[in-house]
Amino acid sequence: DTACSSSLVAVHLACESLWRGEARMALAGGVNALLLPDFYVAFSQLGVLSPDGRCKSFDARANGYVRSEGAGMAVLKPLSAALRDKDPIYAVIRSTALNQDGRTAGMTVPSQAAQEQLIRTACDKAGVLPSDIQYVEAHGTGTPVGDPLEAAAIGGVVGAGRRSNDPCIIGSVKTNIGHLEAGAGIASLMKVALALHHRRIPAHLHFQQANPAIDFEQLHLQIPRQSQVWESDRSRLAGINGFGYGGANAHVILEQAPPASESQ
């Protein structure tokens, strides 16, 4: 239980088990059910919930997130085994990484430095250049504090050294379905796996005017206001962020499935 990064942490632990040869297959996912009013009261008092029921990540009107419920599960296998068994493959996990924020100004205030280091570590483990990442599924809760810090962290790593005509696209599934909290990470992973599979990046909803604290052009980042084709002259790569308010961070690097598996 690492709060909002729980299901990505589960994915990390499952992948570690597979990579070490401890398991031949793993199920990793998360679930969130809104059964009691306690957290609604606590988060309302904390001031992190959107009063208008919309998660407006990275928008100037961002005023908090929306609690939602759901469940998701991914079947994970070594790529060689999935190809051998002729399984449908939606994406390949190149790497996973965890770290901790350490001391910050408050429990709900994330660490930009820790987020940047996490992305760099995941890219190093995957053997890819940060500038080769074409899309990042942000944690993107739609809070005035978290959004600018996360955007700056993403831009500081994957945006560095990019050409101005080749920005990294960022989005958040929370604008579609709200924040699944403990299940948020698996919702993000499923979204990106489907985007890679269908070669299409979904629209990021409720984005009208950029948060003035985020310089998208300088950071070489772009918000997809409309659904768009994901074409690339190189392998399609994406990063996924997951942050827990206690400071437990997770990041996953996904790559398109091998061409041999896409027709199965």
Side-chain angles (χ1 to χ4, degrees), residues 133-136 154 158-159 162 166-170 220-222:
I133 302 294
Q134 298 141 29
Y135 176 81
V136 172
I154 295 170
V158 303
R162 299 182 85 98
D166 181 34
C168 179
I169 300 172
I170 65 171
H220 297 128
L221 302 177
Q222 185 180 86

Side-chain angles (χ1 to χ4, degrees), residues 132-135 162-163 165-169 194-202 222 224 226-238 256 262:
D132 287 338
I133 302 294
Q134 298 141 29
Y135 176 81
R162 299 182 85 98
R163 301 187 307 273
N165 63 347
D166 181 34
C168 179
I169 300 172
L194 287 167
L196 286 165
H197 180 71
H198 294 290
R199 303 187 181 191
R200 194 161 197 93
I201 296 174
Q222 185 180 86
Q226 296 178 328
S227 174
Q228 60 190 68
V229 176
W230 190 345
E231 291 294 353
S232 177
D233 56 3
R234 57 188 189 275
S235 184
R236 299 188 302 284
L237 287 164
Q256 68 184 64
E262 290 190 339

